[in-house]
Amino acid sequence: MTENRRKFLKKSAGVIAGAGVVSGFISKYATGFADAATEKAVTKKKIRWGMVIDMRKCVSGCEKCIDACHLTHNVPDFDNPKDEIKWIWKSDYHKVFPSKSQQFVAAETREKPFLTLCNHCENPPCVKACPTGATFKQSDGIVEMDFHRCIGCRFCMAACPYGSRSFNWRNPRPAIKNITPDYPTREHGVVEKCNFCSERLAKGQQPSCVEACPEKVLTFGNLYDKNSEIRQVLKDNPTIQRKPELGTNPSVFYIT
Amino acid sequence: MLEKFLIFGGLTAFLLAATFPFWQNAAPEDYPKVAMETKGEQCVAPASYMRENHMQLLNEWRDSVVRDGDRFHIMPDGSKVEKSLTKTCLGCHVSQEKFCEECHTYASVKPYCWECHVTPKSGAHTELTGIETEKLEEDNLLNNLLVRNRVFVAGNLNFAVKQQ
């Protein structure tokens, strides 16, 4: 059989038309699934936990939030800045807000130790960096860690632009003064960070730092709930986020 | 005559040595003495299942709590307990050393649960801290817990109903 150009073109046209019909059917069903998937995503995305830190109210010498957090989560204290494990800590203003836009800030603000913790970014770089999936983002916006899965590669520490992650260079157990039996400790060779007290949220409680603060510096709540206290605070006050230029969309906001 | 003695003596010695594993096994075995006393009436799953599959169950619990935030297990009678090794399992089984370790040592298994999870002191858990049947009424759950837990509990209730 001779195959001339005319016949070949006719056949190809038939094949392409057939493929078009089939793909039409497929895409119809596929969009059906996709719609269901988006619907699911929307219902799941009812919660995005966030925090507002009102630094105007924060007292310089007070570390009650830090103590409460460290007690709740068995955070070790190695008494050595190289081994330090940080969940919530105080840092210098210029380290927390290194962007050049923060110029001519009042000395009172500039010299104050600023409260910092994991920002639970909407777009977390640490999650992308983690090769084992030990760090992941929950449907409620919390960037959570599965300590069982962490292999201690520390990619997440390199990826986090806020220094919110710490590595256990030594066995943390001996460095914990009072062990809280309700929460596990970590092992040597595991990374850890703030988890927004997801274990307390599940019981309907506020994070322990929020609860411990006597000055009501910290406001915690659902950023997706328009009627929540946190949204009211955000509406009433000008707030800033850490390194907004990176596009990580932190869930922690500051009133300075 | 001496050769005969040597040959049969040697053979006997050989046979004894060759069958030594059987002799050794014939002795009554020193089985682990697992402490079976508990504070609760029922286990999270039938004992026969737990004996063989507790490690899988614990892995499932771990993944569902850490990954999906499903923190509650529905007991055979429909009540809810926290999916927690330290609170629920060892809140009921009194001692980690006598319940877990006894058997693990015998089987030469070395799970690393206790590298991180805090071993409850023997007898320290006087109350069933993980079991909060009364407190976790459905309304309370719906009010307090996150959406993820609501979905989970609803699913489990359906499951429990179907089971009955």
Side-chain angles (χ1 to χ4, degrees):
Chain A
M1 197 180 95
T2 54
E3 191 88 337
N4 59 24
R5 177 186 286 250
R6 192 179 170 81
K7 271 184 188 166
F8 173 74
L9 285 176
K10 270 184 181 173
K11 274 183 192 164
S12 337
V15 168
I16 289 166
V21 171
V22 170
S23 68
F25 272 112
I26 290 172
S27 66
K28 194 184 170 190
Y29 285 106
T31 39
F33 289 132
D35 281 348
T38 19
E39 210 168 278
K40 214 176 178 185
V42 167
T43 49
K44 267 192 173 177
K45 277 202 170 175
K46 272 185 179 164
I47 294 178
R48 179 181 160 196
W49 295 118
M51 188 183 272
V52 174
I53 303 177
D54 190 345
M55 284 309 297
R56 296 171 304 184
K57 295 183 195 163
C58 186
V59 181
S60 287
C62 173
E63 293 204 331
K64 279 182 181 159
C65 54
I66 300 171
D67 294 342
C69 170
H70 287 192
L71 182 68
T72 313
H73 298 112
N74 294 323
V75 178
D77 179 13
F78 288 112
D79 204 19
N80 170 7
K82 278 185 175 175
D83 295 334
E84 192 186 0
I85 304 289
K86 296 183 287 189
W87 282 51
I88 178 167
W89 72 103
K90 283 189 171 178
S91 189
D92 297 339
Y93 176 85
H94 69 272
K95 285 180 188 161
V96 177
F97 297 106
S99 308
K100 290 280 175 277
S101 64
Q102 321 290 345
Q103 283 183 314
F104 310 114
V105 177
E108 194 191 322
T109 309
R110 216 175 341 114
E111 282 153 19
K112 207 173 209 179
F114 262 59
L115 209 54
T116 45
L117 68 160
C118 170
N119 279 300
H120 295 278
C121 308
E122 193 182 22
N123 182 16
C126 54
V127 170
K128 284 183 190 156
C130 180
T132 62
T135 296
F136 59 101
K137 202 169 160 238
Q138 290 181 175
S139 57
D140 58 9
I142 293 178
V143 178
E144 177 69 290
M145 270 199 76
D146 184 348
F147 300 121
H148 304 97
R149 285 270 194 101
C150 180
I151 55 168
C153 72
R154 314 199 298 286
F155 286 6
C156 56
M157 291 173 70
C160 177
Y162 308 105
S164 296
R165 295 174 154 272
S166 313
F167 185 67
N168 281 289
W169 292 99
R170 313 184 205 177
N171 178 17
R173 274 273 171 97
I176 307 167
K177 279 180 207 102
N178 299 308
I179 290 186
T180 306
D182 283 358
Y183 200 81
T185 67
R186 265 69 58 194
E187 237 183 317
H188 167 229
V190 168
V191 171
E192 59 181 276
K193 70 169 199 77
C194 158
N195 67 347
F196 252 5
C197 283
S198 59
E199 83 284 357
R200 286 170 62 88
L201 295 175
K203 291 184 200 157
Q205 294 168 317
Q206 291 266 300
S208 53
C209 54
V210 178
E211 214 175 78
C213 181
E215 306 292 328
K216 302 265 181 288
V217 171
L218 307 163
T219 312
F220 184 84
N222 180 6
L223 294 170
Y224 285 160
D225 178 3
K226 282 178 190 162
N227 305 316
S228 61
E229 190 194 352
I230 188 167
R231 283 290 291 272
Q232 195 58 43
V233 174
L234 285 168
K235 208 166 98 185
D236 296 343
N237 301 281
T239 52
I240 51 172
Q241 287 162 299
R242 293 183 68 189
K243 300 186 184 175
E245 67 277 12
L246 297 176
T248 55
N249 285 357
S251 298
V252 177
F253 300 82
Y254 288 86
I255 303 172
T256 53
Chain B
M1 193 61 196
L2 190 69
E3 287 97 342
K4 213 181 197 178
F5 191 70
L6 266 175
I7 289 164
F8 280 102
L11 268 176
T12 324
F14 170 74
L15 276 175
L16 278 175
T19 54
F20 176 70
F22 299 100
W23 292 104
Q24 197 195 25
N25 250 2
E29 199 162 359
D30 192 15
Y31 286 112
K33 289 172 193 69
V34 179
M36 288 315 291
E37 68 262 30
T38 54
K39 284 180 179 160
E41 294 291 312
Q42 54 172 346
C43 194
V44 294
S48 57
Y49 176 84
M50 290 306 286
R51 222 165 274 143
E52 288 168 16
N53 301 304
H54 59 279
M55 54 305 256
Q56 275 98 328
L57 183 104
L58 287 171
N59 276 358
E60 279 164 28
W61 276 17
R62 175 193 70 194
D63 290 344
S64 68
V65 170
V66 180
R67 296 278 158 180
D68 310 324
D70 296 342
R71 288 169 192 269
F72 295 98
H73 174 85
I74 307 291
M75 296 287 271
D77 74 348
S79 60
K80 299 179 197 84
V81 291
E82 213 174 317
K83 287 179 182 171
S84 166
L85 169 66
T86 48
K87 291 183 211 166
T88 300
C89 299
L90 286 158
C92 191
H93 291 280
V94 185
S95 156
Q96 187 254 335
E97 299 86 44
K98 284 177 192 153
F99 185 65
C100 308
E101 289 304 313
E102 188 76 25
C103 214
H104 288 161
T105 311
Y106 172 75
S108 187
V109 200
K110 293 181 187 76
Y112 41 86
C113 311
W114 310 105
E115 307 267 311
C116 294
H117 289 277
V118 184
T119 318
K121 276 178 201 142
S122 198
H125 282 233
T126 46
E127 284 167 36
L128 300 177
T129 47
I131 299 173
E132 298 175 345
T133 323
E134 296 294 315
K135 282 183 203 163
L136 292 165
E137 291 296 323
E138 198 185 1
D139 287 346
N140 194 3
L141 264 179
L142 291 177
N143 287 335
N144 290 341
L145 298 179
L146 309 179
V147 171
R148 56 189 193 195
N149 279 339
R150 270 185 226 169
V151 172
F152 167 73
V153 170
N156 257 303
L157 288 176
N158 286 340
F159 176 73
V161 168
K162 270 181 204 161
Q163 291 268 307
Q164 286 164 4

